[in-house]
Structure formats: structure tokens, C-alpha cells
Amino acid sequence: MGSVRKLGLTLAILKPDVVVQPVALQQIKQILLEHDYLFVRSQVEKLNRNRAEEFYEEHRGRFFHNRLVTYMSSGPISVHILARDNAIAHWRQLMGPTKVFRAQHEASTSLRGRFGLTDTRNSTHGSDSPESATKEIHFFFPDFDIDAWHREDGVYFQQKLVRYDPTLHVHILDNGAVETSS
């Protein structure tokens, strides 16, 4: 008997340029749903400069660090834990290239190709590895226990025994479906 492959988790950030445009924000969330992403946790927050510097610490000293930190602390961001098979790779493909000019020409249907403005204001951020996903999820959702989620709720998400709640902007257990499957 083979083991069931766990759903992958990744962190997704919709940046201030998207959050200030409710239509763009809703379009991106709809695109995520159409690509079979499950919203495990969602929140909107405004990073202060110190918190933005902490999140982007790995880029300290690089030419774009100050511009990135200033931008990411300029307005609210929409932060999500997303689940699906191969979540990190799929999310990175859906986002498209980091550089917006390249995204617009090489991946025009990607999120950055459609919604990105500049290389800094490129609409989205995504984890680039399982290790960074774990670190980034913990940064924004310190009470979220990835292992506990896989043990307790992951199977319901895997079996699609959840429904999207547009008010909470997350998938929740579909009690009727859970009871039927038990």
C-alpha cells in the first residue's frame, strides 16, 4: 500500500500595489482558486519598516533592499498559506518571472505579466523552497503548526472536503462532506 502524498504548502504575498486595487486583488484570488489552490490561512497586514527589514534580511546589502523594504512597508499586504500538489513550483510558475518586463514578454498571462508594474512593484511574492516556505509561514503565522495541520486538517484539504469561504478568504471544512466521508 503506497503512502498518500501530502499537499504542499507555500506562502504567497499579494503586494501593496495589488491590495490597493480591490478588483486586481479579487482577480488574483479567483485565478488562484481556478488553479486549484486551497487557502489555508489568510490575513491582511501592514508591515512596519523594521518587520519588512526582518523579512527581507537575506537581501540586506543588495542594491534593491532599501527600495524593496520601503515599498513593502508602504501599504497593506495580503498574506496567504496556500496548499496544493507541488504548491511552491506551481505558485512560482503562476507568478512568472520576477522582472516585470520579462514577465510581460515571456509569460504575459502570469500574474506578474498581467498585474506587475515594476521589478519592485511586481504584485506577488512566493517562497522558493520548502525551507523558505516553512520560515516565511512561521514569520507571518507564528501559531501555525505545519506538522499538526498535515495530521489534523491536511487530509480534508487533500480530499477536497473543504469549501471556500469568501468572507474569511480561506477554505474551511465542509462539515456535510466530512460527516459523509467518515
Side-chain angles (χ1 to χ4, degrees):
M1 180 165 120
S3 64
V4 175
R5 188 170 147 183
K6 291 184 202 176
L7 284 178
L9 296 175
T10 192
L11 184 92
I13 300 175
L14 307 181
K15 294 182 176 182
D17 56 296
V18 170
V19 177
V20 298
Q21 299 179 57
V23 172
L25 180 62
Q26 184 54 42
Q27 286 177 331
I28 291 174
K29 288 179 180 178
Q30 186 59 42
I31 291 167
L32 287 165
L33 292 169
E34 290 167 2
H35 281 84
D36 296 326
Y37 283 95
L38 300 167
F39 288 78
V40 177
R41 296 283 185 281
S42 293
Q43 67 187 28
V44 174
E45 72 173 85
K46 174 143 180 354
L47 296 176
N48 63 36
R49 184 168 183 88
N50 289 339
R51 194 149 153 79
E53 286 179 345
E54 183 182 348
F55 185 71
Y56 287 108
E57 178 64 31
E58 69 185 275
H59 299 305
R60 186 177 301 282
R62 300 193 62 190
F63 74 93
F64 58 84
H65 181 262
N66 183 55
R67 183 176 63 226
L68 179 60
V69 166
T70 300
Y71 168 61
M72 290 300 288
S73 59
S74 71
I77 59 174
S78 184
V79 187
H80 310 278
I81 301 173
L82 301 176
R84 69 159 282 163
D85 289 330
N86 208 6
I88 293 169
H90 282 286
W91 174 233
R92 294 192 66 77
Q93 182 178 2
L94 187 59
M95 286 191 302
T98 302
K99 297 194 176 298
V100 170
F101 181 82
R102 186 171 162 225
Q104 290 171 338
H105 289 87
E106 295 176 12
S108 60
T109 60
S110 70
L111 296 177
R112 289 173 173 158
R114 291 178 60 188
F115 299 98
L117 303 173
T118 68
D119 292 351
T120 302
R121 290 173 160 76
N122 63 1
S123 72
T124 59
H125 167 87
S127 305
D128 62 6
S129 68
E131 297 77 24
S132 68
T134 298
K135 178 181 169 189
E136 293 174 354
I137 287 169
H138 183 71
F139 182 88
F140 286 102
F141 300 92
D143 296 334
F144 184 77
D145 183 325
I146 293 172
D147 293 329
W149 181 83
H150 278 294
R151 277 191 317 272
E152 298 164 13
D153 293 335
V155 67
Y156 299 116
F157 280 73
Q158 180 90 30
Q159 296 174 3
K160 304 278 196 298
L161 300 175
V162 294
R163 63 180 171 77
Y164 183 71
D165 183 319
T167 305
L168 299 174
H169 305 287
V170 294
H171 282 83
I172 59 173
L173 297 182
D174 185 344
N175 291 328
V178 170
E179 289 170 10
T180 303
S181 74
S182 297

